[in-house]
Amino acid sequence: MSELIAALDIGTSKVVALVAEIDANGQLNVIGFGEQPSLGLRKGMVVDIDATTNSVAAAVREAAAMANCKVTDVYVGIAGAHIRSLNSSGMVAMKDSEVTEADMERVVETARAIAIPNDQKVLHTLPQEYIIDGQEGVRRPLGMSGRRLEVKVHIVTGAVSAADNIEKCVRRCGLNVMELVLQPLASAAACLTTDEMEIGIGLVDIGGGTTDFALFTGGAIRHTGVIPVAGDQITNDIAMLLRTPSKEASDIKHRHACALTKLVEPDELIEVPGVADRPSKSMARHMLAEVVEPRVEELFQLVHEQIKRSGFEPLLRAGIALTGGSSMLPGIAALGEEVFHMPVRIAVPDYRGALKDVLAAPKYATAIGLLMHGRDQQVKLTVLRRRDSAAAGMFAKLRDAFGV
């Protein structure tokens, strides 16, 4: 029987719930998909618990009905301007001459032992590399010989209140939160290749309320950040230009907006629906692009400034990968190359199972990445259970042999 796993992407503009099977080869196959407008969030943070709970419950019901199963445990994404990150290191003397799992756990714990504000909690501690007796660049030290083990880690923290409110909304739907996962980490798992993370790449996930980014070099994450500017600001600018409600402005953005004015024909016209009793009207599409381009350029400049401040910009030899719902604007990659001065591509999740035609799109990168993260965690748990079971069996045999 295939194992089931569920993911919940609670974004500012939409809530996506996915249920997938994990086959014998570890491949994901989505059998349940639910999507609802997100109500009650602003810039990735809950501002109305009841509204958010209703959105989550509706999306999960839809996915569960399609999968014909009961959803109980979910991996949940988290983002927002409250997210912080830092790099740390730790060191321990090894008890034996070979590195054990216990040594690896102890050295990571020492790296985690740093002072963080009382209103923040650690979400992730991600090893970047291990060092054994001064030998750097070790990825998997288990079984290697040495006396001193060091580790460099990337620590991600989030506001206690923001994390608690997300968990509270999910629990109110009768669900258990398996883990809160930083959204750009999930998106990176779905969209980036091993080679890209090895030679250096920046992932920029442009959602509705926030733009999240993560930088990778040497096969490990080096820096993460969140900017509270994203697709909603573009929608608001269009609404102001056309004097139309946000919903109509969002529809126009998805149908007609372009991030680079020079790609639009000067005489191209678009139809703008009327509001209330007013008739619809025509307008030049390049006028819309003239509003969108400065906002996207401003967003890229904010991201670029943070990347430069991180010190990792020279190491991003694979350039920038854009994902998220707002990365689907025509011309956005070309504008990104003008701002970042490096190659820019649109990244889609590497998903090949059922519903691929729908889910292999940038706006579902986080949801697919959450499934991939959950699958990897389930594999680790299975390995640990087998190891414990084997150890228990060996102990039982010895006990029987010696009549203990």
Side-chain angles (χ1 to χ4, degrees):
M1 183 179 176
S2 298
E3 191 172 359
L4 294 183
I5 193 165
L8 193 55
D9 173 17
I10 307 174
T12 302
S13 58
K14 69 184 186 306
V15 176
V16 176
L18 297 179
V19 180
E21 292 177 330
I22 307 174
D23 68 18
N25 298 318
Q27 298 300 310
L28 291 168
N29 191 49
V30 174
I31 59 173
F33 168 47
E35 180 175 356
Q36 294 290 325
S38 181
L39 306 174
L41 270 85
R42 184 173 296 126
K43 298 191 182 300
M45 298 179 68
V46 175
V47 294
D48 186 330
I49 283 185
D50 290 337
T52 302
T53 301
N54 291 337
S55 294
V56 170
V60 172
R61 270 198 310 271
E62 193 178 343
M66 184 175 177
N68 192 26
C69 71
K70 180 176 174 58
V71 177
T72 54
D73 302 319
V74 290
Y75 288 87
V76 182
I78 186 170
H82 61 95
I83 297 294
R84 302 284 184 270
S85 70
L86 71 157
N87 293 321
S88 179
S89 60
M91 181 182 71
V92 295
M94 294 192 305
K95 294 181 178 178
D96 300 310
S97 59
E98 283 189 359
V99 179
T100 64
E101 290 277 7
D103 292 325
M104 294 169 63
E105 291 174 5
R106 281 194 305 123
V107 75
V108 169
E109 282 301 313
T110 63
R112 279 171 56 106
I114 57 171
I116 61 171
N118 291 333
D119 62 347
Q120 292 272 306
K121 67 185 290 186
V122 174
L123 299 174
H124 299 286
T125 304
L126 306 165
Q128 297 169 326
E129 66 170 317
Y130 293 88
I131 304 168
I132 300 178
D133 292 348
Q135 178 189 341
E136 299 184 348
V138 177
R139 302 283 177 82
R140 183 70 178 164
L142 186 66
M144 295 182 66
S145 298
R147 295 179 178 275
R148 188 179 74 250
L149 179 65
E150 300 172 64
V151 69
K152 294 181 180 179
V153 299
H154 183 69
I155 297 175
V156 179
T157 69
V160 173
S161 59
D164 287 351
N165 286 332
I166 288 284
E167 291 190 4
K168 187 177 293 185
C169 292
V170 176
R171 285 198 303 268
R172 280 189 173 191
C173 300
L175 302 169
N176 173 51
V177 178
M178 295 292 287
E179 187 180 348
L180 286 177
V181 182
L182 185 66
Q183 289 181 7
L185 289 180
S187 298
C191 296
L192 300 184
T193 67
T194 303
D195 287 344
E196 284 177 327
M197 289 190 279
E198 187 66 42
I199 65 177
I201 191 167
L203 179 93
V204 180
D205 187 341
I206 313 171
T210 63
T211 296
D212 316 314
F213 66 94
L215 309 182
F216 297 83
T217 65
I221 187 165
R222 306 295 173 177
H223 185 80
T224 51
V226 180
I227 294 172
V229 179
D232 285 354
Q233 277 69 30
I234 300 171
T235 302
N236 293 340
D237 287 353
I238 294 173
M240 291 179 63
L241 169 71
L242 304 179
R243 302 185 182 208
T244 190
S246 291
K247 186 180 185 307
E248 282 72 19
S250 179
D251 292 341
I252 291 168
K253 177 181 76 173
H254 291 131
R255 288 202 309 268
H256 303 297
C258 181
L260 208 53
T261 307
K262 65 185 179 184
L263 298 180
V264 178
E265 296 293 334
D267 57 352
E268 186 178 353
L269 298 177
I270 62 173
E271 191 79 8
V272 179
V275 180
D277 296 331
R278 284 181 283 174
S280 61
K281 61 182 179 180
S282 296
M283 69 172 285
R285 188 181 175 213
H286 77 84
M287 289 180 60
L288 185 62
E290 286 172 355
V291 170
V292 173
E293 181 178 338
R295 178 62 79 178
V296 177
E297 185 176 7
E298 176 195 25
L299 168 60
F300 284 162
Q301 286 171 345
L302 290 170
V303 175
H304 195 203
E305 282 300 315
Q306 289 214 21
I307 290 176
K308 285 193 286 189
R309 281 203 295 270
S310 75
F312 292 104
E313 184 186 23
L315 303 178
L316 305 182
R317 289 173 291 172
I320 299 291
L322 301 177
T323 195
S326 297
S327 71
M328 300 167 72
L329 286 171
I332 196 168
L335 179 58
E337 290 185 345
E338 292 182 6
V339 175
F340 293 112
H341 306 295
M342 63 178 77
V344 175
R345 72 174 179 92
I346 305 300
V348 299
D350 182 21
Y351 172 69
R352 303 172 192 180
L355 301 176
K356 174 189 173 183
D357 292 345
V358 175
L359 297 175
K363 65 178 180 177
Y364 298 121
T366 295
I368 293 293
L370 288 169
L371 284 179
M372 292 178 173
H373 177 84
R375 173 195 59 193
D376 295 344
Q377 295 303 108
Q378 296 298 89
V379 168
K380 289 178 183 176
L381 283 173
T382 301
V383 170
L384 287 174
R385 287 186 190 123
R386 286 175 181 167
R387 187 183 301 161
D388 291 344
S389 177
M394 182 62 71
F395 178 75
K397 288 180 180 178
L398 289 172
R399 185 181 56 198
D400 294 341
F402 289 99
V404 178

